[in-house]
Amino acid sequence: MSNHFGDRLVDAVKSKRTPLIVGLDPVYSRLPSAITSRQDMNDEFDVDSAVDAIFDFSTQVLRIVAPMVPAVKINIAFFEKYLSQGIETYYSLISEANELGLEVIGDVKRGDIGHTAEAYAAAHLENPELTGLEDTLAPDAITINGFAGAESIEPFAEKATKNGKGVFVWVRASNPGAAAIQDCVCEGGQKVYEKIAAITGDIANKPENIGKAGYSNIGMVVGGTSPDETSELRKKYEKVWFLVPGYGSQGASAADCIRFCKKDGSGALINASRSIIYAYEEQKYKDQFGDNWKKCIEQAVIDAKLDIAKAVQDAF
Amino acid sequence: MSNHFGDRLVDAVKSKRTPLIVGLDPVYSRLPSAITSRQDMNDEFDVDSAVDAIFDFSTQVLRIVAPMVPAVKINIAFFEKYLSQGIETYYSLISEANELGLEVIGDVKRGDIGHTAEAYAAAHLENPELTGLEDTLAPDAITINGFAGAESIEPFAEKATKNGKGVFVWVRASNPGAAAIQDCVCEGGQKVYEKIAAITGDIANKPENIGKAGYSNIGMVVGGTSPDETSELRKKYEKVWFLVPGYGSQGASAADCIRFCKKDGSGALINASRSIIYAYEEQKYKDQFGDNWKKCIEQAVIDAKLDIAKAVQDAF
């Protein structure tokens, strides 16, 4: 397997024939009752019980989706609630996903400057070499917040490049309120998110960051919910992978999201979280599969892949 | 003790007679040899040994500074490197600091939108009520990143207000490169950081967030290194506590930082991290106290308090 994150994504997207990735945001109260009714997992307010249930659910989801998608995005926020046990679970899931051949993106949105950014980078972009943690893997890539400029991106980029990992800088959020800051037009006509994209692009385009397939290991997170504002980014940053949240539960359509793909289908990862992992809550899947929650998730992935494939066909 | 974070800060600053707070950014390789030469703590590359050393050092620092400063800021980045054991250590230190009567700020810079922001808020601004975690305390306040607008601030503010805790929104970073984004002038003449300040100010000024002393529990992080750009913020947001990094190692002077204080000394917390906790590396303290590293730290706190007190006297 390539030691370059951008190259690995090209291969993974080609082999799974889709830019769709699945996001894991597991919340105990929404887990299937088949899991939460088990005696060792039935207490939401007991930390052992809760993390066991979340781990069990998440590993089953990983096994369902692994043959169908190139990558998963694991959102650390939903694990931090369980403090150290949550973090242990987060890393266990990274290992599970890695063994299943998935690229793993840690959605951590870390962001700070100087020696703090270096500490975060060491924590999240380096397989720990400490005695006692030898078996732990860091994710293949993480999301970061580059609001404090190049100095809040470079420490992560350097660590990622050194370790064959990747970084997605949060350039434009998918929520409506983000526009109040990120769409502000600055002197010279550039919007704030365009400035962050430009700073990120300069780092992404450094020769040492470009892989054999022509992509950088430094990418951008751009919400699929604001396609008009952001469709220029694809053209402008040819070597960049885009991580596109917002498809599904947040309201972005497949057509909105695939604007970040190139003609060959590479260049963007389109993330769906809740619309996939909680598919068993939806009437249309209930009608089809009853309480077979795994079948519901599987079908939701198939449906999303078809939806996206059709949008790609229509667009190119 | 008041259940309002803003009120508690007023009392704490008054009782310790200083706005100086101490930041904990512990790095194993810089710990005093008195600690790292101990047999159970002498292996930087063994996770148990490393976290034990960091915990031992940090608790000793807390005991030294507790009688002298109102609050400490614990930077989670330096604990995340040790994964779940690091997180356990972080929470242990919060409890230690709390028992010593210190207000505790978790410097976590978390930031995301919607249900992810809610998950982070639940993780960091709520004492866990889960069986197995009953003895764990969340910090009194955390730092957050509000780059995605009001929707990335409100979930934290609501949780903080409900639980008697506080939030500091990162408005203006202390690094030079931050200007490339945060000082951009937008249409209408407002800079980006002023926009974030305005969004934060609207939330801070909500009546339910204001305590008896007239301060909000929602504050702002503004670097002391850019006093010219930011001295207007103090006047504009009367009810806001400012958390001011940059004093000491990052180069801001006491005079730069105390612009965020009011005449009575309230209104700002001036943070010094490395210049205090690694004072024993400095020649002037070595000359005075030899290898008594605790005395060096104590004297560094005394010196910083005097330096700040003099600046306050000169300014008002």
Side-chain angles (χ1 to χ4, degrees), chain A residues 3 19 59 67 93 122 158 222 234-235:
Chain A
N3 194 35
T59 47
L93 289 173
E158 282 163 22
V222 182
R234 174 68 285 168
K235 280 179 224 156

Side-chain angles (χ1 to χ4, degrees), chain A residues 25 27 30 43-48 50 75-78 80-85 87-88 91 107-117 119-120 122-124 128-133 136 145-152 170-182 184-187 192-193 195-196 199 250 273-274, chain B residues 25 27 30 43-48 50 75-78 80-85 87-88 91 107-117 119-120 122-124 128-133 136 145-152 170-182 184-187 192-193 195-196 199 250 273-274:
Chain A
D25 302 9
V27 174
R30 295 182 73 174
D43 187 353
E44 177 170 5
F45 300 104
D46 177 276
V47 66
D48 295 324
N75 189 331
I76 201 170
F78 294 88
E80 291 192 0
K81 184 183 166 183
Y82 300 105
L83 313 189
S84 60
Q85 279 164 272
I87 297 304
E88 216 169 289
Y91 281 98
D107 193 0
V108 303
K109 302 268 177 23
R110 296 299 191 262
D112 212 313
I113 58 168
H115 77 310
T116 300
Y120 278 129
H124 293 276
E129 283 170 16
L130 298 165
T131 309
L133 297 174
T136 310
N145 187 320
F147 167 64
E151 287 151 288
S152 61
W170 200 17
V171 163
R172 178 62 171 81
S174 54
N175 60 317
I181 295 164
Q182 298 173 7
C184 288
V185 180
C186 303
E187 279 170 344
V192 168
Y193 79 80
K195 280 189 180 282
I196 298 181
I199 292 169
Q250 287 184 59
S273 300
R274 288 167 283 173
Chain B
D25 302 9
V27 173
R30 295 182 72 175
D43 187 353
E44 177 170 4
F45 300 103
D46 176 277
V47 67
D48 295 324
N75 188 333
I76 201 169
F78 295 88
E80 291 192 2
K81 184 183 165 183
Y82 300 105
L83 313 189
S84 60
Q85 280 164 272
I87 297 303
E88 216 169 292
Y91 281 98
D107 193 359
V108 302
K109 302 268 176 25
R110 295 300 190 262
D112 212 312
I113 58 169
H115 77 308
T116 300
Y120 278 129
H124 292 276
E129 283 169 16
L130 298 165
T131 309
L133 296 175
T136 310
N145 187 320
F147 166 64
E151 287 152 287
S152 60
W170 201 19
V171 162
R172 179 62 170 83
S174 54
N175 61 316
I181 295 165
Q182 298 174 7
C184 290
V185 180
C186 303
E187 277 169 347
V192 167
Y193 79 81
K195 282 190 178 280
I196 298 181
I199 293 169
Q250 287 183 59
S273 300
R274 289 168 281 172

Side-chain angles (χ1 to χ4, degrees), chain B residues 151-172:
Chain B
E151 287 152 287
S152 60
I153 301 171
E154 278 156 357
F156 291 98
E158 282 163 22
K159 192 64 91 181
T161 301
K162 182 178 154 244
N163 293 327
K165 298 189 182 286
V167 162
F168 291 97
V169 181
W170 201 19
V171 162
R172 179 62 170 83

